[in-house]
Amino acid sequence: MGNAVIYRKAATQLANLFVKEDIGMVYGGANVGLMKILADTLLEAGKEVIGIMPTALINNEVAHSGLEQFIEVETMSERKNKMAELSDAFIALPGGFGTLDELSEVLTYNQLRICDKPLGLLNIAGYYDKFLAFVDHAVEQGFVREEHRKNMIVSENAEELLKMLKAYQPVNTEKWIREIKKESRG
C-alpha cells in the first residue's frame, strides 16, 4: 500500500476527532484495515461501535471480536441497508471495491432522496482525485447532474469534513426530476 502510513495516520486523526466530538461509528465489522484503526480507537475511548457483517463473510473476513454490538446479516444488501438505517452520516476513507460499492449506493440513495444523510470523502493524499475526475466527466457528459456531484462532501482535513457534513442540506428531488423529464423529451 503506497501511502499506508499516511492513511493510517489520517484514520487515527479521524478516530480521535470522533472521540473529541463524542461520535460513535457503524461499519462493516472487520478487524483489519483503516476501519479497524477507527474501531479500536473508539472502543478504547468507550465510544459506541457497531459492526455489521454477512454470515458468509464472518468465516472469510476477520470479524472484530471486541465489538459490544455486532449484527450478523444474511446479505451484503442487508448489511448496507442496516448501515444506512443506523448511521447519521457517511465518511469514506481510502478503500477498495467494497468502499466504492457503499459510496455509490449512498450517492444513489441521496440522489433519489431514499436517504438524506450526508456523504463525505476523506480525500487523504488525493486518494479520491481520479474518482472525482470521473464524476466530473460524468457531469460534463450529462450523466450526473451538477447538484448531485455537489452532494459529495470532500476534504483532505477531517475537522473540515465533519463541519461540512454537519451543514449538509439535501438536493431538492422534485426540481431535478422535473428538469430531467423535460430534458428527456428533447
Side-chain angles (χ1 to χ4, degrees):
M1 210 156 64
N3 288 318
V5 173
I6 294 168
Y7 298 144
R8 285 194 299 266
K9 181 179 177 186
T12 301
Q13 289 171 340
L14 180 62
N16 288 329
L17 179 60
F18 280 11
V19 170
K20 177 183 164 194
E21 296 286 329
D22 195 27
I23 297 171
M25 182 174 78
V26 176
Y27 82 116
N31 197 30
V32 295
L34 298 179
M35 297 309 294
K36 176 191 181 336
I37 293 170
L38 268 83
D40 288 347
T41 303
L42 291 170
L43 289 169
E44 288 172 18
K47 300 299 176 198
E48 180 180 47
V49 179
I50 301 171
I52 305 170
M53 190 177 287
T55 305
L57 288 182
I58 290 173
N59 295 328
N60 295 331
E61 193 171 336
V62 183
H64 198 302
S65 61
L67 301 180
E68 289 183 18
Q69 295 184 57
F70 192 91
I71 301 170
E72 186 174 338
V73 295
E74 291 302 313
T75 67
M76 290 297 284
S77 292
E78 192 178 346
R79 174 195 218 177
K80 290 183 289 184
N81 287 337
K82 193 68 173 172
M83 290 170 75
E85 174 191 327
L86 297 176
S87 299
D88 296 323
F90 307 93
I91 296 178
L93 297 172
F97 289 132
T99 302
L100 185 59
D101 176 49
E102 292 168 359
L103 170 65
S104 296
E105 186 146 332
V106 172
L107 284 170
T108 303
Y109 281 6
N110 280 352
Q111 177 184 9
L112 299 173
R113 298 286 301 266
I114 294 168
C115 172
D116 281 333
K117 298 174 182 179
L119 167 69
L121 303 180
L122 189 54
N123 195 20
I124 303 163
Y127 183 82
Y128 283 107
D129 288 352
K130 291 181 181 180
F131 172 74
L132 294 167
F134 164 76
V135 175
D136 290 340
H137 176 70
V139 170
E140 290 169 12
Q141 297 301 308
F143 291 102
V144 173
R145 297 185 65 83
E146 180 66 30
E147 57 265 35
H148 297 129
R149 163 60 175 91
K150 290 178 181 175
N151 249 356
M152 278 189 292
I153 300 165
V154 183
S155 180
E156 295 178 0
N157 180 285
E159 286 186 36
E160 179 181 87
L161 184 64
L162 196 56
K163 285 179 188 173
M164 292 189 295
L165 289 170
K166 289 178 180 179
Y168 171 78
Q169 294 294 314
V171 171
N172 180 338
T173 309
E174 291 175 18
K175 180 181 179 226
W176 79 263
I177 289 178
R178 197 170 43 249
E179 289 173 359
I180 203 165
K181 283 180 181 179
K182 184 177 175 183
E183 292 166 3
S184 295
R185 290 185 203 127

